[in-house]
Amino acid sequence: MHHMNFPAYRGSMEYYCLGCDSHFPIDELHYTCPKCGGIFLLRDNSFDSLKEYSGQKWRDIFDSRAMAKDATLRGVFRFYELMAPVLDRQDIVFLGEGQSPIVDFSHSLRSELGGQRGAYKNEGQNPSASFKDRGMACAFSFLNRLSRTQENGDILAVCASTGDTSAAAALYASYAGKRVKSVVLLPQGKVTPQQLAQPLGSGARVLEVPGCFDDCMKVVEYLADNYRVALLNSKNAWRILGQESYAFEIAQWYDWDLKGKCVFVPIGNAGNITAIMAGFLKLYHLNIINELPRIFGVQSHHADPVYRYYAVNDPKERHFEPVNVQPSVAQAAMIGNPVSFPRVKHFVKQYETIGGVKAFQVVQVTEQDIMEGMLQANRNGHIACTQGGECLAGLKRARKLGIIDEEEIAILDSTAHMLKFIGFQDMYFNNSFPVEYGVTPDAQRANTPHLIIDALEKMALSAEEYTIKTAERIVDMLGLSKR
Ligand SMILES: *Cc1c(COP(=O)(O)O)cnc(C)c1O
Ligand SMILES: [Zn+2]
């Protein structure tokens, strides 16, 4: 066995309310502040003691763990001291999440983008095929600790979702076994077959209600306020904590040198962009990195409340207003009133204090740009989902606005696997988009299968004739020359 020593450091964590500044101990799962209903961050009050080690020492520790064959240090807990340093080894769940590959733009993509340097970080290569697994690994590890230390240890994990949150929650709950049961509440008829298949396959109890995501959300929040259930939507601060690992991995991959790096992130409920800023700030405060990368949030014009807020230059003139969303191919980011918006404001302020006003920006893109971004990425060897396409559209927009240079390295978040959102590709290729999306397919880009011999012709031929005839048609079609 090549077990590393499990980290010895233990932090003193508590919930910290962004609404009323109250603190609460972590001996139970709080979803929102019991005093004011505000949202929480998790804070380690011993964090400053980590500064006793130099940045170099921390870099060495994290780099050496990259070779560990200890499953508990393989995923998001490679960065244990920065994550949830209250857990024991036995609490930690590892289903292969985290350490997702960063794949440089192919030469062809780079040249189509006028020489722009960049890479995709493929979050679709997480176990349930989205970045949500990072947060779930952390949240379920904490639930394990709770169920180990509490009398009545059984846990009912609940979430409202139309897609990736429920897939991830159901997967981690089913791995946890009999002590954890999961329930997923979905809006009836508003989920794709793939999105429905994942929690069903993991054995979650899937409940449907007529209405939309917001209706489901209100029901599960009522349950969490009044009954003993663990609510796993992204208001849950343990999820945000796990998602910080995305930032740590980018820093480590680029050898802790983030000069000239620009991180593009789609914004839905804004949990992910919150976590990414929080993560880079932690690294900066421990001198593990000397410079913050720039962050570019990306939103569709059909769901752009965060873009609108930051589009007002004078901070004193800004005020937040939810928007009514219109249908978006970046469906996982189609949210008009992001629950983590107070967290975004909190971290943007810190981020700009250190990195200047250009350190955080939000760009807006069209639905057409998003679809074409996804198709362009994937035709050039990547595996972007629609939200990954949104990031590429965001990069092109930033180039057009002159706010990014081609020599900077753009790191695009493909938040899920392309296969989860493949229905949108079908609509584009088959020219079957409902008008509300505002996407007009370009027939040049359509790719559909060609039948080269039909069943009737096949019946009339012997097996050998069939092989030869089919092959000859392919020869004609492709213009092959004899060898
Ligand atoms: C959840 C999700 C998003 C949006 O992330 P937020 O944290 O809600 O901003 C984007 N893409 C995918 C694939 C998601 O599952
Ligand atoms: Zn509060």
PDB file of all heavy atoms in Angstrom, residues 106-116:
ATOM      1  N   SER A 106      -7.235  22.632 -29.598  1.00  0.00           N
ATOM      2  CA  SER A 106      -6.571  21.994 -30.733  1.00  0.00           C
ATOM      3  C   SER A 106      -5.998  23.102 -31.621  1.00  0.00           C
ATOM      4  O   SER A 106      -6.453  24.250 -31.566  1.00  0.00           O
ATOM      5  CB  SER A 106      -7.575  21.149 -31.519  1.00  0.00           C
ATOM      6  OG  SER A 106      -8.628  21.959 -32.001  1.00  0.00           O
ATOM      7  N   HIS A 107      -5.020  22.725 -32.457  1.00  0.00           N
ATOM      8  CA  HIS A 107      -4.434  23.728 -33.360  1.00  0.00           C
ATOM      9  C   HIS A 107      -5.500  24.357 -34.231  1.00  0.00           C
ATOM     10  O   HIS A 107      -5.490  25.562 -34.481  1.00  0.00           O
ATOM     11  CB  HIS A 107      -3.353  23.088 -34.229  1.00  0.00           C
ATOM     12  CG  HIS A 107      -2.117  22.758 -33.456  1.00  0.00           C
ATOM     13  ND1 HIS A 107      -1.354  23.726 -32.848  1.00  0.00           N
ATOM     14  CD2 HIS A 107      -1.540  21.568 -33.161  1.00  0.00           C
ATOM     15  CE1 HIS A 107      -0.356  23.149 -32.212  1.00  0.00           C
ATOM     16  NE2 HIS A 107      -0.447  21.845 -32.381  1.00  0.00           N
ATOM     17  N   SER A 108      -6.444  23.497 -34.685  1.00  0.00           N
ATOM     18  CA  SER A 108      -7.463  24.032 -35.601  1.00  0.00           C
ATOM     19  C   SER A 108      -8.372  25.019 -34.874  1.00  0.00           C
ATOM     20  O   SER A 108      -8.722  26.062 -35.428  1.00  0.00           O
ATOM     21  CB  SER A 108      -8.268  22.890 -36.232  1.00  0.00           C
ATOM     22  OG  SER A 108      -8.856  22.090 -35.232  1.00  0.00           O
ATOM     23  N   LEU A 109      -8.731  24.713 -33.636  1.00  0.00           N
ATOM     24  CA  LEU A 109      -9.586  25.662 -32.910  1.00  0.00           C
ATOM     25  C   LEU A 109      -8.824  26.958 -32.669  1.00  0.00           C
ATOM     26  O   LEU A 109      -9.346  28.056 -32.870  1.00  0.00           O
ATOM     27  CB  LEU A 109     -10.074  25.070 -31.582  1.00  0.00           C
ATOM     28  CG  LEU A 109     -11.010  25.994 -30.776  1.00  0.00           C
ATOM     29  CD1 LEU A 109     -12.253  26.377 -31.578  1.00  0.00           C
ATOM     30  CD2 LEU A 109     -11.414  25.356 -29.448  1.00  0.00           C
ATOM     31  N   ARG A 110      -7.570  26.800 -32.257  1.00  0.00           N
ATOM     32  CA  ARG A 110      -6.790  28.002 -31.978  1.00  0.00           C
ATOM     33  C   ARG A 110      -6.695  28.880 -33.225  1.00  0.00           C
ATOM     34  O   ARG A 110      -6.832  30.100 -33.149  1.00  0.00           O
ATOM     35  CB  ARG A 110      -5.398  27.617 -31.466  1.00  0.00           C
ATOM     36  CG  ARG A 110      -4.628  28.825 -30.998  1.00  0.00           C
ATOM     37  CD  ARG A 110      -3.315  28.487 -30.323  1.00  0.00           C
ATOM     38  NE  ARG A 110      -2.563  29.725 -30.139  1.00  0.00           N
ATOM     39  CZ  ARG A 110      -1.317  29.806 -29.744  1.00  0.00           C
ATOM     40  NH1 ARG A 110      -0.652  28.704 -29.433  1.00  0.00           N
ATOM     41  NH2 ARG A 110      -0.727  30.970 -29.630  1.00  0.00           N
ATOM     42  N   SER A 111      -6.491  28.252 -34.380  1.00  0.00           N
ATOM     43  CA  SER A 111      -6.352  29.109 -35.557  1.00  0.00           C
ATOM     44  C   SER A 111      -7.693  29.707 -35.963  1.00  0.00           C
ATOM     45  O   SER A 111      -7.757  30.858 -36.399  1.00  0.00           O
ATOM     46  CB  SER A 111      -5.619  28.402 -36.697  1.00  0.00           C
ATOM     47  OG  SER A 111      -6.421  27.406 -37.233  1.00  0.00           O
ATOM     48  N   GLU A 112      -8.798  28.951 -35.760  1.00  0.00           N
ATOM     49  CA  GLU A 112     -10.122  29.555 -36.021  1.00  0.00           C
ATOM     50  C   GLU A 112     -10.382  30.748 -35.107  1.00  0.00           C
ATOM     51  O   GLU A 112     -11.178  31.621 -35.422  1.00  0.00           O
ATOM     52  CB  GLU A 112     -11.241  28.523 -35.826  1.00  0.00           C
ATOM     53  CG  GLU A 112     -11.358  27.533 -36.980  1.00  0.00           C
ATOM     54  CD  GLU A 112     -12.513  26.544 -36.820  1.00  0.00           C
ATOM     55  OE1 GLU A 112     -13.418  26.797 -35.991  1.00  0.00           O
ATOM     56  OE2 GLU A 112     -12.500  25.518 -37.527  1.00  0.00           O
ATOM     57  N   LEU A 113      -9.730  30.755 -33.954  1.00  0.00           N
ATOM     58  CA  LEU A 113      -9.930  31.842 -32.994  1.00  0.00           C
ATOM     59  C   LEU A 113      -8.856  32.920 -33.123  1.00  0.00           C
ATOM     60  O   LEU A 113      -8.611  33.679 -32.180  1.00  0.00           O
ATOM     61  CB  LEU A 113      -9.929  31.285 -31.561  1.00  0.00           C
ATOM     62  CG  LEU A 113     -11.041  30.281 -31.212  1.00  0.00           C
ATOM     63  CD1 LEU A 113     -10.829  29.708 -29.821  1.00  0.00           C
ATOM     64  CD2 LEU A 113     -12.414  30.926 -31.322  1.00  0.00           C
ATOM     65  N   GLY A 114      -8.221  32.953 -34.275  1.00  0.00           N
ATOM     66  CA  GLY A 114      -7.241  34.009 -34.524  1.00  0.00           C
ATOM     67  C   GLY A 114      -6.022  33.914 -33.619  1.00  0.00           C
ATOM     68  O   GLY A 114      -5.478  34.931 -33.196  1.00  0.00           O
ATOM     69  N   GLY A 115      -5.624  32.683 -33.310  1.00  0.00           N
ATOM     70  CA  GLY A 115      -4.387  32.512 -32.551  1.00  0.00           C
ATOM     71  C   GLY A 115      -4.563  32.536 -31.040  1.00  0.00           C
ATOM     72  O   GLY A 115      -3.589  32.457 -30.292  1.00  0.00           O
ATOM     73  N   GLN A 116      -5.809  32.627 -30.584  1.00  0.00           N
ATOM     74  CA  GLN A 116      -6.052  32.700 -29.149  1.00  0.00           C
ATOM     75  C   GLN A 116      -5.539  31.455 -28.422  1.00  0.00           C
ATOM     76  O   GLN A 116      -5.848  30.328 -28.796  1.00  0.00           O
ATOM     77  CB  GLN A 116      -7.559  32.831 -28.888  1.00  0.00           C
ATOM     78  CG  GLN A 116      -7.954  32.835 -27.423  1.00  0.00           C
ATOM     79  CD  GLN A 116      -7.482  34.093 -26.703  1.00  0.00           C
ATOM     80  OE1 GLN A 116      -7.723  35.197 -27.179  1.00  0.00           O
ATOM     81  NE2 GLN A 116      -6.795  33.915 -25.581  1.00  0.00           N
TER      82      GLN A 116
END
